Every structure is written in structure tokens, then in C-alpha cells.
Amino acid sequence: MRNLIRLAFLCLVFIGVQPALADELDKAAGTWSISSSSKIRFSVAQVGGGGIAGTFSSFSGKFRIDKDVTRSGVTFQLKAASVEAGDARITAFIRSDAVFDAERNPVISFKSTRVTRTGDNEAKIEGQLTARGITRTVAFQATFDGQSGNQIRFRVTGKMSRALFGMEIGTPIYSNSVVFDMEMKGVRG
Amino acid sequence: MQWRNSPRAWGLVTVGFHWVMAILFLGQFALGWYMQGVKSLMDQFTLYQLHKSFGFLILGLAILRLVWALTSTKPDLPDGMEPTERALAKATHWILYALLLAVPMTGWAVVSMSPLMIPSFVFNLFVMPHLPLGISLSGEQAASSLHAFLAYVAAFLAGVHILAALRHHFHHRDGILIRMLRPGHDGRREG
């Protein structure tokens, strides 16, 4: 009996929530441009604690949200030379041929190939990331972070191997994993 | 085999320390000089980390060697040596011991003060903590200059030390060089 009540309650909640989610998705559907006010942060941990943290200041991209989430997609480009990592020598090092080789490979780009819904507000975005002239399949996790007026926000996180892109310099002092933590803001159009 | 020193001869431990550290020091000096001019930042990074690892190895061995030297008998110098010559030889040897500590210590200060904050992962085996000197670019630069200066002083004195050993061997024809080449040998030459 108690289980039945619980089930009935769950059904009510579900019926109540589902249209709300559908509404959110309806509102979000369409094409968005990635705003320059987005924050692209990354970090690489180092042995003994701490690590290197950096940001990119020059990037652009577009994403499309479809009511059928699996048909959504994103393209994103960033300028490798726009990386900043606090210390001038570290920044120069990351721009150099030791890491990004920004002179020969000025653009780091991402193009999604598959979007899967993983929760009420979450989706997994798989795609092709090209950096240092090497293209690999990587995955990011996107969490819907609200929409107001003409702006939509997502928190996008991901973790990938530097070695996959020929950037394993410094391992094992520095972790082979680079962690991305990004605040993506989209504006209509 | 004679491990310890005697009033006539060096033991295996002293001879081993001497030659292992001579090779390490010269290799480290050459590496330190070479790595600064390497164009590829990737190779340069790797070489700097290697230089740091060898630096800590030299520092560790220098401490052990100093303890060994302070607690061991030293064979006598050849009878014919002038008092000034004796004093100079002694001073050179103690300054070289001091530099074997001071050069790696100033190198450690460089990495400890550098705003780069690169951990010292000695031969990728363990993390050597930074000295508590505080992060400072000017501190790093000062320590780096001192490190280079002391390394050149050490290289110069090592050169003097080598020439002196050769002079003893070929000019004075005494047993100084042979004693350091053959543990337990008193340096006397047959014939």
C-alpha cells in the first residue's frame, strides 16, 4: 500500500516536471553564438599538489539546441596563442612548439558528432577536437545553467589526455590529463 | 680490499666518492652549460629537470662524502711538500668540498624561489620539497647568478686540482695520483 502511494506520488511529480523541462527546452531551442564573455578555463595538476591553470581569451563558436536533444550540435574554435597561464614564461612555453605550436597550428577546434542526454539538465557532447594538427574524439559534459532573456548558460567540463595530441611534455611532473571547466554563454543568432 | 683510509693510502670508499663525484660534477657542469642554449623548449625543459635530479644526487652524495671525510683518517702528504703548498692543497680541497654543497644548494634555491613553481621530481621517483624561501623572480635571478658563479669557481678549482695532480705525478714523480687511482696503494713506484 505504501509503495502504491509512493508510486502515485512519483507519477504526479513526473507529470508536473516533464512539461516544465519540455518548456525549458522549447525556450532554448534554436541557434546560439558563443559569447566572448564565456570563460574557458583549464588546469593541469602537478606532482605534490597544485598545478598550472590557464584561460583562453579569443574564441568563437555556435551551437544549436534541438527539441530532440540528440540532434543538437556545437562547433567551437579558439586561438591557441590567446592562452594565458599566469606566468609569462609558462604562457610562452604553452604557446611554443613544446605544447600548442601556435605558430604552425593557430586554431584549436571542436565539432560535435553526438549529443546524448544524460540527465534532466545534462548532456554528453562527443566530438572531434583538433589541436596541434591532431584530431581526436573527446567528450565533454554540459550542464544547463539557466536562461535569461537573450542569453543561455552552460557549464561545460571535460578531461582529456595531453598525449593524444602530442602534448605530453612535462609528464610525469605534470599530469597527462588536462581538465577543462568552462562557462559557456550563448546569445541568439 | 681496503675500505677505509690509512695513514699511507686512500680506501675504496674515498676513492669511489672522489671519482663518482668527479664524473657527476663535470657531467653536471657540461649539462648546465649546454641546456641554456637549447633551442627546443621541449628538450630544454627535459634537460633542466635532469639537471635538477643530478643536482640532488650530487647534494646527497656531498653530504655523505663530507661526513666520511670528517670522520676518516687522511693519508699524509708527500714529505717534500713546502708548508705553503700544503696549506694551498688543503684549502683547495676544503673549498671544493664546500662548493660540492653550495653549488647544488644554490640550484635548489633557484627552483624554490622561481615563480614557475616547477616541482623537483627527482629522477621521477620522489618530490623534493622547495626550500622555504618564498616565491620571488628577483630572488630566483639572484640565486641563479650565484649558482652559475659558484659552478664556474668550482670548475676552475677542479682544473687547478687536476693540474696539481698531474704536476705531482709527472714533475715531482710522487704517489699522489696513484693513491687516488688505486685504493689501498701507498703510491710508491717500483724502480
Side-chain angles (χ1 to χ4, degrees):
Chain A
M1 189 60 195
R2 187 175 287 178
N3 279 345
L4 238 151
I5 294 169
R6 207 175 274 173
L7 185 67
F9 179 73
L10 276 175
C11 283
L12 280 173
V13 170
F14 190 67
I15 290 161
V17 165
Q18 200 58 15
L21 280 174
D23 282 355
E24 292 266 30
L25 208 53
D26 271 348
K27 259 170 56 191
T31 308
W32 301 82
S33 294
I34 292 169
S35 154
S36 59
S37 64
S38 302
K39 299 269 183 288
I40 314 296
R41 289 184 294 252
F42 69 91
S43 59
V44 178
Q46 70 187 27
V47 67
I52 288 176
T55 57
F56 289 93
S57 57
S58 179
F59 48 83
S60 62
K62 277 189 179 303
F63 57 92
R64 204 173 71 83
I65 300 174
D66 197 287
K67 278 180 220 171
D68 173 7
V69 175
T70 58
R71 295 175 65 179
S72 302
V74 55
T75 57
F76 183 66
Q77 303 81 35
L78 54 77
K79 259 172 77 180
S82 76
V83 69
E84 281 291 340
D87 184 276
R89 279 180 290 176
I90 297 177
T91 301
F93 188 83
I94 298 173
R95 286 177 188 161
S96 81
D97 62 355
V99 188
F100 288 155
D101 198 3
E103 214 168 283
R104 259 171 292 188
N105 302 285
V107 177
I108 296 174
S109 63
F110 177 77
K111 191 176 189 310
S112 67
T113 50
R114 200 162 91 142
V115 180
T116 348
R117 196 162 180 168
T118 52
D120 283 349
N121 287 323
E122 291 176 7
K124 184 181 174 190
I125 304 167
E126 286 163 279
Q128 303 277 300
L129 181 73
T130 304
R132 204 186 158 98
I134 300 170
T135 303
R136 302 279 185 203
T137 301
V138 299
F140 291 98
Q141 194 70 29
T143 308
F144 178 64
D145 203 19
Q147 185 182 357
S148 52
N150 196 32
Q151 202 190 63
I152 191 164
R153 294 181 305 278
F154 287 95
R155 175 143 181 247
V156 183
T157 56
K159 190 172 156 178
M160 60 205 63
S161 154
R162 297 194 284 126
L164 283 181
F165 299 92
M167 298 180 190
E168 66 270 35
I169 177 71
T171 50
I173 296 177
Y174 295 100
S175 165
N176 181 46
S177 285
V178 53
V179 177
F180 285 91
D181 187 354
M182 308 179 273
E183 285 169 39
M184 287 293 192
K185 290 175 191 165
V187 288
R188 283 280 182 201
Chain B
M1 184 57 73
Q2 183 185 325
W3 291 88
R4 302 185 69 97
N5 302 340
S6 69
R8 302 240 129 258
W10 297 108
L12 184 65
V13 176
T14 300
V15 172
F17 267 135
H18 177 270
W19 291 108
V20 167
M21 295 197 73
I23 291 163
L24 284 175
F25 174 78
L26 291 176
Q28 181 74 334
F29 183 82
L31 175 59
W33 180 79
Y34 171 76
M35 70 186 189
Q36 297 174 63
V38 170
K39 288 278 184 301
S40 154
L41 289 178
M42 200 189 291
D43 293 343
Q44 195 180 51
F45 178 87
T46 309
L47 292 175
Y48 266 79
Q49 303 319 309
L50 194 65
H51 185 73
K52 284 160 68 179
S53 290
F54 275 108
F56 284 112
L57 176 63
I58 290 172
L59 180 61
L61 287 174
I63 292 166
L64 292 177
R65 188 179 180 187
L66 195 65
V67 170
W68 180 259
L70 289 168
T71 54
S72 303
T73 321
K74 279 195 175 47
D76 302 327
L77 289 170
D79 293 337
M81 269 175 85
E82 298 286 329
T84 30
E85 231 182 332
R86 283 168 185 267
L88 275 174
K90 223 171 198 175
T92 307
H93 294 153
W94 285 111
I95 293 169
L96 278 171
Y97 276 127
L99 286 168
L100 278 179
L101 292 170
V103 178
M105 283 303 292
T106 50
W108 195 2
V110 173
V111 300
S112 300
M113 285 194 274
S114 171
L116 298 176
M117 292 188 266
I118 300 172
S120 301
F121 200 23
V122 182
F123 294 110
N124 293 342
L125 294 173
F126 64 94
V127 176
M128 196 69 182
H130 291 326
L131 293 168
L133 297 170
I135 301 297
S136 144
L137 182 59
S138 53
E140 177 199 341
Q141 288 163 343
S144 184
S145 301
L146 186 60
H147 180 63
F149 173 73
L150 292 178
Y152 280 114
V153 172
F156 172 76
L157 285 179
V160 169
H161 176 77
I162 291 165
L163 289 176
L166 294 175
R167 182 166 178 265
H168 275 280
H169 189 75
F170 292 110
H171 184 71
H172 297 311
R173 303 191 64 79
D174 59 26
I176 289 279
L177 184 60
I178 295 167
R179 281 201 316 205
M180 193 42 93
L181 287 166
R182 298 174 62 180
H185 195 282
D186 67 2
R188 261 185 296 188
R189 301 177 178 197
E190 287 94 35

